[in-house]
């Protein structure tokens, strides 16, 4: 590296969104030819830093420089593209266009009459892909490419603007083992050509497989930067979780009796592209966690139990019955209550009232023959408002008018309205304040004490602490089971696919 300035350097970055501090005097320094990892738990500030490094947002404080030169103004998009590019987990390739059209979108060669020189465009595309060793037919519609090919196409497009600093955001999330190995080979080849990478991944083992240096963010702050070969796995996990996390939340709820019947039985469950051969049971009164990174399959398994997906193989049995696969009404009829991952898009109808939202799953209790008894509906809603301490002047208020924590309580009220045999919760405390988080987790514990089985899918440690046991998923498979009283370091390492004894 010599004395060359860093390819990218962010210093003293502060970024606020209203009252939320997304980055607090954070920074990173990436040197030429490196593959530099950026890791941290959800909410650590990684995505915000990427948006600042790519010119999508300006920091409130701090500086960004490329090769020792201050970053361009945000309005100078071409200048940013010549310095940095990001290949996101969600592809930005337009499937209806050909490979050549995607490579040179908005910069197609034209004649004096404004007509596109298609022969020249295809020739330049072939030359570009050959230079960067991407074997794809430039005439082929991009929608026919697989995930791996689309990633290589995006890398080639980024390099075509002149950028030699590429950010890879969860690049392996949708790749199988063979494709991951090919990606890593391509990264090493490009490193030899002085291309520099910032590698963001939830799979910490990949940090040790491909990266030279690692930076850890936690709670919007920079924690440590070190050569990968000088940072043991246990210390990396400790930097991500923090010393204070080890104490955890005291478990006060008694374990369910050993003779309690099984409420949920999942046998050999598989859904192509998401999870394989998943088997477990949950007894009445038991809380079982499904933990793992975003691409682990934990969310999809929980959604399958709630009737959102039709598994390709295996069975789901709820309270002695097998509801029709992929049917939410059948799951509800079998006794499932469900709090989905995203309350805004899946959890409630914003312009409908609290009463309407909280009784959506129990139409037979509030009317007959298609007619709703408004007084009955409002009485049930008031009872749930009291039970879940929802702050509202009355059941008629639209849910959109509530705070985030109270909106989530409405979603929980709907899940509990039918007195479920099985309560399925997916990241139930996402985006709520501390008091609402404690309340919602306490309500899950209270519900389990009545004999309801609870399946809780999350990667938040505070959520998982209420569980009697936690099943850890990595790349679509259950790889470990942690009994109550687990250690933060061990659980996070298992979720990230790291062997602390290696």
């Amino acid at each position: 590296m010599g004395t060359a300035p860093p390819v990218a350097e962010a210093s003293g970055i502060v970024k606020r969104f209203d009252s939320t501090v997304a980055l607090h005097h954070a920074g990173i320094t990436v040197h030429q030819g490196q593959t530099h990892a950026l890791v941290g738990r959800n909410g650590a500030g990684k995505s915000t830093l990427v948006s600042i490094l790519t010119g999508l947002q300006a920091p409130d404080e701090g500086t960004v420089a490329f090769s020792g030169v201050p970053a361009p103004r945000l309005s100078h998009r071409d200048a940013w593209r010549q310095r940095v590019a990001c290949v996101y987990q969600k592809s930005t390739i337009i499937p209806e266009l050909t490979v050549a059209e995607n490579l040179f979108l908005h910069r197609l060669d034209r004649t004096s009459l404004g007509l596109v020189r298609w022969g020249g465009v295809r020739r330049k595309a072939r030359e570009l892909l050959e230079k960067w060793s991407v074997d794809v037919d430039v005439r082929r519609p991009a929608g026919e490419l697989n995930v791996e090919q689309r990633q290589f196409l995006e890398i080639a497009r980024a390099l075509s603007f002149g950028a030699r600093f590429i950010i890879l955001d969860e690049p392996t999330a949708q790749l199988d083992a063979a494709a991951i190995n090919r990606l890593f080979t391509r990264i090493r080849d490009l490193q030899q050509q002085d291309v520099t990478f910032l590698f963001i991944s939830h799979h910490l083992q990949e940090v040790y497989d491909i990266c030279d240096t690692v930076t850890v963010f936690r709670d919007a702050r920079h924690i440590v930067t070190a050569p990968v070969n000088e940072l043991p796995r246990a210390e990396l996990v400790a930097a991500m979780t923090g010393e204070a996390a080890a104490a955890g939340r005291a478990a006060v709820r008694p374990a369910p009796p050993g003779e309690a019947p099984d409420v949920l039985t999942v046998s050999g469950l598989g859904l192509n592209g998401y999870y394989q051969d998943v088997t477990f049971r949950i007894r009445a009164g038991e809380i079982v966690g499904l933990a793992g990174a975003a691409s682990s399959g934990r969310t999809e398994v929980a959604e399958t139990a709630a009737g959102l997906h039709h598994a390709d193989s295996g069975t789901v049995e709820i309270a002695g019955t097998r509801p029709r696969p992929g049917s939410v009404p059948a799951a509800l009829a079998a006794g499932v209550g469900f709090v989905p991952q995203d309350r805004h898009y899946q959890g409630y109808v914003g312009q409908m009232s609290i009463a309407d939202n909280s009784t959506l799953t129990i139409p037979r209790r509030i009317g007959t023959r298609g007619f709703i008894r408004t007084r009955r509906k409002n009485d049930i809603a008031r009872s749930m408002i009291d039970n879940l301490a929802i702050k509202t002047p009355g059941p008629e208020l639209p849910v959109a008018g509530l705070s985030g924590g109270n909106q989530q309580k409405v979603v929980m009220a709907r899940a509990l309205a039918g007195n479920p045999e099985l309560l399925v919760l997916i990241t139930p405390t996402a985006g709520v304040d501390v008091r609402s988080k404690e309340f919602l987790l306490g309500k899950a514990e209270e519900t389990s004490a009545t004999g309801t089985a609870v399946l809780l899918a999350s990667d938040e440690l505070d959520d998982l602490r209420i569980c009697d046991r936690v099943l850890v998923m990595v790349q679509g498979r259950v790889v470990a089971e942690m009994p109550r009283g687990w250690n933060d370091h061990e659980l996070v390492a298992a979720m990230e696919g790291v062997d602390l004894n290696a």
Side-chain angles (χ1 to χ4, degrees):
M1 292 182 292
T3 58
V7 168
E9 185 171 25
S11 303
I13 302 295
V14 175
K15 185 64 181 179
R16 302 180 185 87
F17 298 99
D18 297 323
S19 61
T20 301
V21 179
L23 288 172
H24 182 77
H25 298 289
I28 194 169
T29 301
V30 183
H31 291 284
Q32 183 175 349
Q34 285 187 341
T35 294
H36 191 127
L38 175 61
V39 301
R41 306 290 294 147
N42 287 346
K46 304 187 300 296
S47 296
T48 303
L49 181 69
V50 169
S51 71
I52 290 171
L53 284 174
T54 53
L56 297 179
Q57 297 185 95
D60 298 323
E61 300 175 30
T63 61
V64 175
F66 297 102
S67 299
V69 178
R73 285 186 288 183
L74 296 190
S75 58
H76 294 178
R77 295 310 306 162
D78 286 344
W80 281 93
R81 293 187 184 99
Q82 293 166 13
R83 291 162 173 78
V84 58
C86 184
V87 178
Y88 295 96
Q89 180 178 347
K90 184 176 181 180
S91 177
T92 60
I93 295 297
I94 301 174
E96 292 79 14
L97 300 182
T98 67
V99 168
E101 290 168 332
N102 271 282
L103 283 172
F104 294 104
L105 190 63
H106 302 310
R107 49 185 180 142
L108 299 170
D109 285 343
R110 296 180 183 273
T111 67
S112 58
L113 297 176
L115 302 176
V116 177
R117 294 190 177 96
W118 288 113
V121 170
R122 296 186 190 103
R123 176 180 50 78
K124 288 174 60 178
R126 281 190 290 268
E127 291 173 353
L128 176 66
L129 296 181
E130 183 178 348
K131 178 180 179 180
W132 299 112
S133 303
V134 180
D135 185 16
V136 178
D137 183 353
V138 299
R139 294 174 178 265
R140 188 177 178 185
E144 296 180 1
L145 304 181
N146 60 33
V147 174
E148 179 185 4
Q149 291 170 324
R150 290 198 297 270
Q151 285 188 340
F152 291 157
L153 181 60
E154 294 204 61
I155 292 172
R157 183 174 63 183
L159 293 168
S160 74
F161 284 98
R164 294 297 178 267
F165 173 47
I166 310 295
I167 300 172
L168 300 177
D169 183 13
E170 296 285 350
T172 65
Q174 302 179 57
L175 301 180
D176 60 24
I180 290 172
N181 287 333
R182 288 191 293 270
L183 173 65
F184 287 179
T185 298
R186 183 62 49 81
I187 289 174
R188 294 186 184 100
D189 290 343
L190 291 172
Q191 277 186 284
Q192 297 301 313
Q193 300 177 63
D194 289 329
V195 178
T196 301
F197 292 94
L198 182 61
F199 185 89
I200 301 171
S201 177
H202 277 292
H203 301 299
L204 295 190
Q205 187 57 51
E206 295 173 354
V207 172
Y208 289 90
D209 291 341
I210 190 63
C211 297
D212 308 294
T213 304
V214 59
T215 290
V216 179
F217 276 19
R218 186 179 76 241
D219 298 332
R221 290 171 167 82
H222 171 274
I223 301 301
V224 66
T225 294
V228 169
N229 59 10
E230 296 180 11
L231 191 65
R233 288 161 172 77
E235 292 184 19
L236 176 57
V237 174
M240 292 173 61
T241 58
E243 296 295 332
R249 165 182 169 148
V252 296
R253 187 177 53 83
E259 67 275 10
D262 292 334
V263 172
L264 174 65
T265 303
V266 173
S267 302
L269 210 61
L271 181 61
N272 291 337
Y274 295 100
Y275 57 81
Q276 309 87 35
D277 195 26
V278 176
T279 298
F280 62 90
R281 297 170 181 266
I282 305 180
R283 293 176 292 157
E286 188 179 23
I287 303 178
V288 172
L290 275 181
S295 58
S296 65
R298 58 174 167 83
T299 297
E300 290 76 16
V301 169
E303 289 178 339
T304 302
L308 269 70
H309 302 298
H310 188 308
D312 299 308
S313 60
T315 59
V316 174
E317 185 174 300
I318 299 168
T321 66
R322 292 186 180 180
R324 188 169 75 256
S327 169
V328 173
L332 288 173
V336 176
F338 181 46
V339 174
Q341 181 176 22
D342 191 326
R343 65 174 176 271
H344 301 287
Y345 294 101
Q346 300 171 298
Y348 63 80
V349 183
Q351 299 310 312
M352 287 175 59
S353 70
I354 296 170
D356 287 334
N357 272 279
S358 58
T359 57
L360 279 173
T361 57
I362 53 169
R364 293 182 181 179
R365 287 181 57 192
I366 59 175
T368 57
R369 298 181 181 178
F371 294 95
I372 293 175
R373 296 166 57 191
T374 302
R375 179 176 296 179
R376 175 65 174 158
K377 177 185 68 176
N378 288 339
D379 286 345
I380 293 174
R382 288 190 185 95
S383 175
M384 289 190 285
I385 288 169
D386 292 340
N387 184 35
L388 281 106
I390 300 170
K391 294 183 179 179
T392 174
E396 301 85 6
L397 184 74
V399 174
L402 300 175
S403 67
N406 283 294
Q407 289 173 348
Q408 189 72 343
K409 288 180 180 180
V410 172
V411 179
M412 179 71 88
R414 186 198 63 196
L416 296 175
N419 298 315
E421 299 275 357
L422 171 68
L423 179 62
V424 178
L425 309 173
I426 304 180
T427 56
T429 65
V432 304
D433 59 79
V434 174
R435 293 187 67 181
S436 295
K437 175 182 288 191
E438 289 296 318
F439 183 91
L440 289 164
L441 293 175
K443 187 58 63 175
E445 291 182 303
E446 179 184 311
T447 302
S448 73
T450 67
T452 296
V454 179
L455 175 61
L456 195 163
S458 180
D459 66 347
E460 294 295 332
L461 300 187
D462 286 342
D463 291 356
L464 297 169
R465 290 190 210 286
I466 71 170
C467 297
D468 297 295
R469 53 194 172 95
V470 176
L471 306 176
V472 181
M473 296 189 65
V474 174
Q475 296 181 336
R477 295 184 180 275
V478 176
V479 299
E481 179 175 320
M482 300 286 191
R484 184 190 300 192
W486 42 263
N487 174 278
D488 282 16
H489 287 36
E490 293 174 350
L491 181 61
V492 172
M495 291 165 62
E496 305 289 0
V498 173
D499 182 358
L500 292 177
N501 298 317

